[in-house]
Amino acid sequence: MSIHKKIFRNMLNNRGNIISSINELSKSPNVFIDATFQIGDYFSISPIIEAVKLKWGNVNITVLCTSTNVDVISTDMRVDYILLPNKNKWYTYAKELNLFKNKVDLLIEPASLDRAHRCIIGFILKPKLTIGLDQSVKCIQKPLTTIGDKGLFQPMVYSNMMAAYGFYNVSGSFQVHENKDNLIRIERILKEKNINNYIVFNPFASSKKRCLSISKSKEIIDELKINGLNCVFIMPDYIRNKEKWVNELGNDYHMLNVSSIQDSICIIKKSDGVISVDTAIVHISTSYNKPTVGLYSVAELDTKNWKPQSEKNHIALMNDSASDIVDLKVFK
């Protein structure tokens, strides 16, 4: 981080809290949650929402999101939401948020305030109280007790965070809220194609280094067939070389095109299990307690807080043999 960016962000975060405890808030507070991050991150903050709802029956919860994760937030009936511009246009946030300036009782910051698109939010809103994980900045109120976070599943970290600020204990688990219309449509497609008892396979992630190659994907699909497992290969709309994938993978699978994360959610909900690289697909599978194989690079293997947590799960390296990846103890 350049010295100029650091000074700018420190300036935005250099604000105090009007009150020091959640118990000083009204019985029906206006709570904002900053969720300007990835899809999987939103699934992980469900304990934050649950703790807030448990504390105040008449609470108003507003989630701040971007186009990246609005598809999963818009179906969460527990919250209202405000769609902000792309994080690279953080300087336009004031136009969207000035209406709420000095009207927010509690702002919750689940992520680090080391980026302009996050730290600008509290600077604009001027909430009475701000809480969060990032204890390095002035605007985050210090919790009553230490937040336990070492080696824990990420939703449990957020459960611990809320307890440290005086909220009631809640379970630390992912929650996914599917779109009912999407679910009906996916069920119809599966029935029309006579697809059932299937394993979802996803080789795609947001960064290239976390994606599988076509050849490695073919090995996994072949291994599923050898073991009598029906494979559904999900193909996102954003993949440009779809024809190359289709031509090189062969015909030993069902391909389903997905136009949004909601399509993937519904396909996973109806499945018998999931094999996926490190992306939100793993977290969706965990939320439904589906048998899950998560694929990671060597560098990511020690990141325990985002691994699959289903009752049946297996963690493998992306370059492991297909027979090691298709773990029959998980799927049979």
Side-chain angles (χ1 to χ4, degrees):
M1 184 191 302
S2 72
I3 186 65
H4 297 94
K5 287 184 178 180
K6 188 172 183 179
I7 291 172
F8 175 67
R9 291 166 190 175
N10 286 344
M11 179 185 72
L12 294 177
N13 292 326
N14 188 30
R15 54 183 176 81
N17 291 296
I18 298 173
I19 60 176
S20 60
S21 167
I22 61 170
N23 294 322
E24 298 176 58
L25 296 171
S26 70
K27 293 182 179 179
S28 56
N30 190 18
V31 177
F32 273 47
I33 302 175
D34 180 2
T36 53
F37 37 52
Q38 300 299 317
I39 291 171
D41 297 286
Y42 184 73
F43 297 148
S44 74
I45 69 168
S46 193
I48 293 177
I49 299 171
E50 292 302 310
V52 169
K53 289 179 66 65
L54 190 60
K55 174 69 176 176
W56 300 293
N58 295 321
V59 66
N60 301 301
I61 304 176
T62 301
V63 172
L64 303 175
C65 64
T66 68
S67 58
T68 299
N69 57 12
V70 68
D71 281 349
V72 294
I73 295 171
S74 61
T75 56
D76 188 344
M77 296 297 102
R78 302 172 300 173
V79 302
D80 296 316
Y81 69 94
I82 296 173
L83 179 60
L84 295 173
N86 183 284
K87 65 182 181 180
N88 295 324
K89 295 184 178 180
W90 58 267
Y91 49 85
T92 67
Y93 282 13
K95 181 179 179 181
E96 307 291 335
L97 298 177
N98 269 332
L99 179 65
F100 305 95
K101 184 177 180 179
N102 296 318
K103 296 179 181 179
V104 177
D105 297 303
L106 175 63
L107 173 62
I108 304 177
E109 293 281 9
S112 295
L113 295 183
D114 58 351
R115 301 184 183 184
H117 75 278
R118 294 190 187 125
C119 54
I120 192 67
I121 288 172
F123 183 80
I124 296 168
L125 292 176
K126 301 291 190 294
K128 292 179 182 177
L129 177 65
T130 302
I131 64 174
L133 279 181
D134 190 352
Q135 301 295 303
S136 68
V137 294
K138 180 181 177 181
C139 62
I140 299 292
Q141 181 67 33
K142 300 303 178 186
L144 303 174
T145 60
T146 302
I147 300 173
D149 62 355
K150 300 299 181 184
L152 296 179
F153 186 40
Q154 193 62 30
M156 183 55 70
V157 173
Y158 289 128
S159 177
N160 289 350
M161 182 190 87
M162 298 303 280
Y165 278 106
F167 288 88
Y168 301 116
N169 285 309
V170 295
S171 64
S173 60
F174 281 121
Q175 283 194 31
V176 172
H177 301 268
E178 69 270 5
N179 180 290
K180 303 304 180 184
D181 290 336
N182 272 61
L183 185 59
I184 292 171
R185 183 173 61 82
I186 293 300
E187 287 176 338
R188 184 175 66 250
I189 291 172
L190 293 172
K191 185 176 181 179
E192 288 173 352
K193 293 180 177 290
N194 195 29
I195 301 174
N196 51 63
N197 305 117
Y198 60 88
I199 304 299
V200 173
F201 173 51
N202 168 57
F204 305 112
S206 56
S207 65
K208 189 175 181 179
K209 67 179 181 180
R210 287 190 286 141
C211 294
L212 293 179
S213 65
I214 295 178
S215 60
K216 189 66 183 183
S217 297
K218 184 172 179 11
E219 289 178 21
I220 294 170
I221 289 173
D222 289 345
E223 186 68 21
L224 286 167
K225 184 184 180 183
I226 290 170
N227 288 284
L229 296 169
N230 199 13
C231 175
V232 164
F233 181 88
I234 52 177
M235 174 65 76
D237 278 352
Y238 63 80
I239 301 301
R240 296 180 179 178
N241 59 338
K242 292 181 184 178
E243 289 186 4
K244 184 176 181 181
W245 278 87
V246 172
N247 292 336
E248 295 193 26
L249 287 182
N251 301 308
D252 296 327
Y253 62 94
H254 300 281
M255 179 179 287
L256 293 180
N257 293 306
V258 292
S259 58
S260 72
I261 192 65
Q262 282 295 334
D263 287 346
S264 297
I265 288 171
C266 296
I267 292 169
I268 290 168
K269 184 174 184 179
K270 304 300 293 184
S271 76
D272 290 339
V274 170
I275 299 175
S276 175
V277 293
D278 180 23
T279 189
I281 298 298
V282 173
H283 314 321
I284 296 166
S285 185
T286 290
S287 74
Y288 290 124
N289 197 29
K290 298 292 184 180
T292 307
V293 174
L295 303 179
Y296 301 85
S297 67
V298 174
E300 295 167 330
L301 203 56
D302 292 331
T303 310
K304 298 178 181 179
N305 55 339
W306 292 106
K307 298 293 176 59
Q309 299 290 313
S310 302
E311 290 178 13
K312 290 185 175 183
N313 74 79
H314 175 57
I315 297 167
L317 289 172
M318 293 168 66
N319 59 1
D320 279 348
S321 68
S323 59
D324 287 334
I325 290 171
V326 182
D327 190 332
L328 297 183
K329 295 190 297 294
V330 174
F331 295 124
K332 288 190 175 181

